[in-house]
Amino acid sequence: MSDGLFQFLLRMGDNTLVLGHRISEWCGQAPGLEEDIALANTALDLIGQTQMWLGYAAEVEGAGRTADDLAFLRDVWDFRNLLMLERPNLDFGHTITRQFFFDAFHVLLLTRLQASSDARVAEIAAKSVKEAAYHLERSADLVIALGDGTDESHQRMQSAVDLLWPFAGEMFAADDVDNAMAAAGIAPDPASLRAEWQRKVDQVMADATLTLPESQFAHQGGKTGRQHTEHLGHMLAQMQWLQRAYPGATW
Amino acid sequence: MSDGLFQFLLRMGDNTLVLGHRISEWCGQAPGLEEDIALANTALDLIGQTQMWLGYAAEVEGAGRTADDLAFLRDVWDFRNLLMLERPNLDFGHTITRQFFFDAFHVLLLTRLQASSDARVAEIAAKSVKEAAYHLERSADLVIALGDGTDESHQRMQSAVDLLWPFAGEMFAADDVDNAMAAAGIAPDPASLRAEWQRKVDQVMADATLTLPESQFAHQGGKTGRQHTEHLGHMLAQMQWLQRAYPGATW
Amino acid sequence: DPQERAFQERIDAGDKIEPKDWMPDGYRKNLIRQIGQHAHSEIVGQLPEGNWITRAPTLERKAILLAKVQDEAGHGLYLYCAAETLGVSRDELTRMLLDGKMKYSSIFNYPTLTWADMGAVGWLVDGAAIMNQVPLQRTSYGPYARAMVRICKEESFHQRQGFDIMMKMANGTDAQKKMAQDALNRFWFPSLMMFGPSDKDSVHSAQSMAWRIKMNTNDELRQKFVDQTVPQAEYLGLTVPDPDLRWNDETGQYDFSEPNWDEFFDVISGNGPCNTERLNTRKQAWDDGAWVRDGMLAHAAKRKSQGIAAQ
Amino acid sequence: DPQERAFQERIDAGDKIEPKDWMPDGYRKNLIRQIGQHAHSEIVGQLPEGNWITRAPTLERKAILLAKVQDEAGHGLYLYCAAETLGVSRDELTRMLLDGKMKYSSIFNYPTLTWADMGAVGWLVDGAAIMNQVPLQRTSYGPYARAMVRICKEESFHQRQGFDIMMKMANGTDAQKKMAQDALNRFWFPSLMMFGPSDKDSVHSAQSMAWRIKMNTNDELRQKFVDQTVPQAEYLGLTVPDPDLRWNDETGQYDFSEPNWDEFFDVISGNGPCNTERLNTRKQAWDDGAWVRDGMLAHAAKRKSQGIAAQ
């Protein structure tokens, strides 16, 4: 169980860490000042959540590691984030569409986690869910505005949806870790979140005049760590540089 | 003297290392198959030269370090390459213009270094100068073809020349290290290469229908290590990743 | 001109000028230049720090840096709003920045090369900025003064965070100490330049001071900055890179070397280490963002016309 | 058809067919497909290795990898030239690749995630490629056979280099051993897939074998690859990720599990881990390079017309 819980907590924390990193890459380069502020704020929330999830993960592991050790001293194979979140930002449309797909899932998951049988999980979820709800409100609004904007913005958003769709399914694919968490009442079976997620996504897509692809193919390998994309290694080379180059220093 | 020689050798080796890295980033992404092959070949030559220069630098230093230690375990401040060479590739025109400015300098420098009072320096220069001459022939031809090609290629090449020109002067700026090398007959005063370099560049610019900017302003700080650009740190984060993440391993 | 005289009397009496009040063209023009330049500095100033967000060494440092950069974008927003009250839009100001017709603080044309630079920027650059900004809380133009009040609160917080990074570095490993010293070496003189050329060479000073849109002379503020900062450097165990720096018992101040003003004018005129990069980054962001801004406007217009049609 | 019969007799007699010889449309079409796909594989195959050139751990490893990638581009060039002798231009073939009308080897749709993957690609992927290519040196179409001779020499060199990387990793630190095993785990079944589906499911096999543009069945080659590779894995101290793998004394071969053919067809149909990335990278390179290719053509045309005018 404790290894299952550890894996589950890594998944939660790696998702927020990796997405937070990607969003932070927008610093000073967003389409407008309001977006710059909102993106920095989102990244900040996600890094804050990472501190809680990985902090608890480190405690559960009980090997004397810290949240920072987990963030800065693991190599790709030990990361447990969804593949979607490590993808490069590409354009703003891709960034926001990814954010929306994740936010819609994140809100449902955190809402359910507030009732976790693990008090610490419930507590972290309760602290995070309001932030996630705010992120979702914002990303959904942007998807709608840009889908239903100009011809160009519509076409860019549709491309983003087409590109990202095969990465959405991984959020709902359950494995042994998920089954163990569900059995222990720690976390819901991710598959049980799918229908409600789909309703939300369908509604936003409709308002945005965007169409979901029909294929149900889903890339796998991020949350299990079996096979990440090539992008994660490049992200870690940058993210972990200082800790790797100056081991043992305090900052 | 030995520290001067060490610094001089770092400059030679860091130039080829850093430019070789940049060129290698083109792998599989050049405008055509012949360019892909030629760029890989150029990078390969430059990395080979790096092994010789940094290998000798490590010997001269006498601190038990190897060429690989110098390449993979120094931070930005200890790098001694020209600022121009660490700049991002931008488009093919920028990459080739930078290559031409450097090749024209490199050929002159290596030619003179064949007569160095230091036998090892002379030997490495003799091994490198043919490669450099071939690089120059190729980069000069490309600058001419693209400068004198279409309106778009002309305009892109002119932008590249304008952007890179303020970085050319650093090649010829002499400091104490250069003066000591010149006094010892190890290397020429870089300023003494300028007139001939300028003749070559003027001739190629004329054939390419391109114009050099009038400003003689020159960015400084790479070859002395005083102030690199922000790009070098990102390059090193990638270049040095494995050595930093797995210290002491052999590959 | 009696109108101008009355205006000056209001200023001398410590009145705040508000957007709808009459004001001389020169006052308006100078304020637009000054506030715009300040706003642009906040925006461009995100870039040297943004350069290290993705390489911040701990989660906490990453969060602090993100919060700081977010604050800076917020300051930009306050300031553009203050400028808008003078009749110039944010888009116009942005266009002037991107066309090179308006400046931003030259300090942001220097590169951030190690993590210690995040400390040095907070400690020295924000420190110098605060020196400039604290008196501007009492400037004559109401919206500007009020923006400054909000900004100053956050800036002094940033400065303390920067000093805290420097402390960690200065008390850290040998490599960290070296980074800290190197950062001070590179940022000391550029920070002194932030106050502008010596008063005798400064163009707009006298009139701006009369209008109370400039509150102190450049040299006054520079001296004050040196007097405040040198003991902090000593506390950190770092050496200020000025061999002529010494305490002067007579004046009760530090004597120090002038920065290299040739370098200052080089940087101002576009030849700083990062001018081209910074401006190109902003241009790219603006151009890449065009479809987003257009899309949002188009959607808002559709919603509006649907709303009207529904009535 | 007497022409076709005569053609088949030449092939059966071991004659080489040359570009100007008569050949059946199907022969030409199949060869174009096969050589084009092979050429594209060399080009796209640069990308997974290019991904590690900038992170190679030593100068020597970086040089070896650069030389390898350069060789691959060279192989692409030989093969496009061979295809051109069949009346299809390199640009046409490239266009078909970018439009998704021609394939490249599916193996390159798998990501390279650690340095050990550079070893695994050389050892397993080049190893499997060689299995395919060595017999093709005796293929019936002359230009193709001659290209294969040149290619095979270099490929076997690459395979040895890959194995050498695996040796270093397998004999290295615990982390390196783990990387090596992880690479074998990920690349084993995809390498088996490189030989194509089982003969009973393979579409073009019989005719291609009669024409000698396919020299062995897929299953034959796959078996040969397994028999050659398993002892190498044992030598490295690595475990082949197949619980059912065992030596069969009766057949004198290894029994092994079939790869997951559903995954194979998923990858073929565009759903591999990197299909979109690989094709987008090539599209981007092609589009970004358009101005260069155009510029070079325009310059060459100017030079030519100047040459004519000067006569």
Side-chain angles (χ1 to χ4, degrees), chain D residues 111-187:
Chain D
T112 56
L113 299 178
T114 75
W115 176 251
D117 289 6
M118 294 302 97
V121 166
W123 172 39
L124 300 175
V125 176
D126 290 335
I130 293 170
M131 276 304 156
N132 261 321
Q133 290 165 1
V134 165
L136 286 175
Q137 296 178 95
R138 296 174 288 109
T139 188
S140 61
Y141 188 58
Y144 190 24
R146 290 188 289 274
M148 275 304 149
V149 172
R150 299 174 70 178
I151 289 172
C152 281
K153 248 184 248 163
E154 294 176 352
E155 288 289 4
S156 65
F157 190 57
H158 296 165
Q159 204 219 352
R160 277 203 302 280
Q161 289 169 342
F163 192 74
D164 185 55
I165 291 177
M166 289 308 275
M167 290 257 286
K168 277 277 197 309
M169 303 294 285
N171 297 317
T173 64
D174 286 350
Q176 287 177 302
K177 283 186 188 122
K178 187 177 161 183
M179 278 188 217
Q181 182 63 54
D182 178 59
L184 175 55
N185 292 349
R186 283 182 287 103
F187 278 99

Side-chain angles (χ1 to χ4, degrees), chain D residues 31-268:
Chain D
L31 264 179
I32 289 176
R33 188 180 53 77
Q34 186 174 328
I35 301 176
Q37 188 165 323
H38 189 167
H40 297 329
S41 299
E42 297 284 356
I43 302 311
V44 177
Q46 294 181 91
L47 301 177
E49 291 177 312
N51 184 41
W52 281 91
I53 286 179
T54 54
R55 289 177 291 174
T58 68
L59 294 169
E60 195 189 347
R61 288 291 174 202
K62 196 191 282 264
I64 291 172
L65 196 52
L66 275 165
K68 183 178 178 192
V69 164
Q70 190 189 356
D71 285 347
E72 282 159 5
H75 298 175
L77 206 53
Y78 305 158
L79 288 161
Y80 285 124
C81 290
E84 280 177 339
T85 64
L86 293 161
V88 58
S89 75
R90 200 206 300 182
D91 278 8
E92 285 174 90
L93 289 168
T94 300
R95 184 52 64 200
M96 286 192 273
L97 169 69
L98 301 183
D99 291 348
K101 289 181 192 149
M102 283 183 84
K103 303 278 182 205
Y104 53 89
S105 176
S106 273
I107 191 75
F108 302 120
N109 289 318
Y110 289 85
T112 56
L113 299 178
T114 75
W115 176 251
D117 289 6
M118 294 302 97
V121 166
W123 172 39
L124 300 175
V125 176
D126 290 335
I130 293 170
M131 276 304 156
N132 261 321
Q133 290 165 1
V134 165
L136 286 175
Q137 296 178 95
R138 296 174 288 109
T139 188
S140 61
Y141 188 58
Y144 190 24
R146 290 188 289 274
M148 275 304 149
V149 172
R150 299 174 70 178
I151 289 172
C152 281
K153 248 184 248 163
E154 294 176 352
E155 288 289 4
S156 65
F157 190 57
H158 296 165
Q159 204 219 352
R160 277 203 302 280
Q161 289 169 342
F163 192 74
D164 185 55
I165 291 177
M166 289 308 275
M167 290 257 286
K168 277 277 197 309
M169 303 294 285
N171 297 317
T173 64
D174 286 350
Q176 287 177 302
K177 283 186 188 122
K178 187 177 161 183
M179 278 188 217
Q181 182 63 54
D182 178 59
L184 175 55
N185 292 349
R186 283 182 287 103
F187 278 99
W188 174 256
F189 283 114
S191 299
L192 296 191
M193 294 179 200
M194 285 178 69
F195 300 97
S198 183
D199 300 324
K200 54 187 187 302
D201 308 318
S202 187
V203 197
H204 309 282
S205 286
Q207 177 63 77
S208 290
M209 288 184 73
W211 278 335
R212 293 178 67 83
I213 60 181
K214 184 180 170 85
M215 310 296 285
N216 304 82
T217 72
N218 297 348
D219 288 332
E220 265 169 43
L221 292 171
R222 184 164 23 245
Q223 181 70 52
K224 207 172 157 194
F225 174 75
V226 171
D227 292 342
Q228 173 186 295
T229 307
V230 170
Q232 295 172 344
E234 281 167 6
Y235 179 78
L236 292 169
L238 300 177
T239 307
V240 173
D242 177 358
D244 296 327
L245 180 82
R246 55 182 49 87
W247 178 255
N248 184 328
D249 261 331
E250 244 164 86
T251 60
Q253 295 177 328
Y254 283 94
D255 294 339
F256 60 93
S257 305
E258 287 286 299
N260 177 349
W261 291 111
D262 287 346
E263 180 180 315
F264 176 78
F265 289 109
D266 261 343
V267 176
I268 287 272

Side-chain angles (χ1 to χ4, degrees), chain C residues 81-102:
Chain C
C81 290
E84 280 178 339
T85 65
L86 293 160
V88 57
S89 74
R90 200 207 298 182
D91 278 8
E92 286 175 89
L93 290 168
T94 300
R95 184 52 62 199
M96 285 192 274
L97 169 69
L98 300 183
D99 292 347
K101 289 180 190 148
M102 283 185 86

Side-chain angles (χ1 to χ4, degrees), chain D residues 285-307:
Chain D
W286 185 251
D287 293 346
D288 288 352
W291 72 268
V292 177
R293 297 188 303 271
D294 292 347
M296 289 170 74
L297 280 177
H299 175 72
K302 285 187 203 175
R303 279 288 154 102
K304 203 174 156 195
S305 71
Q306 284 160 3

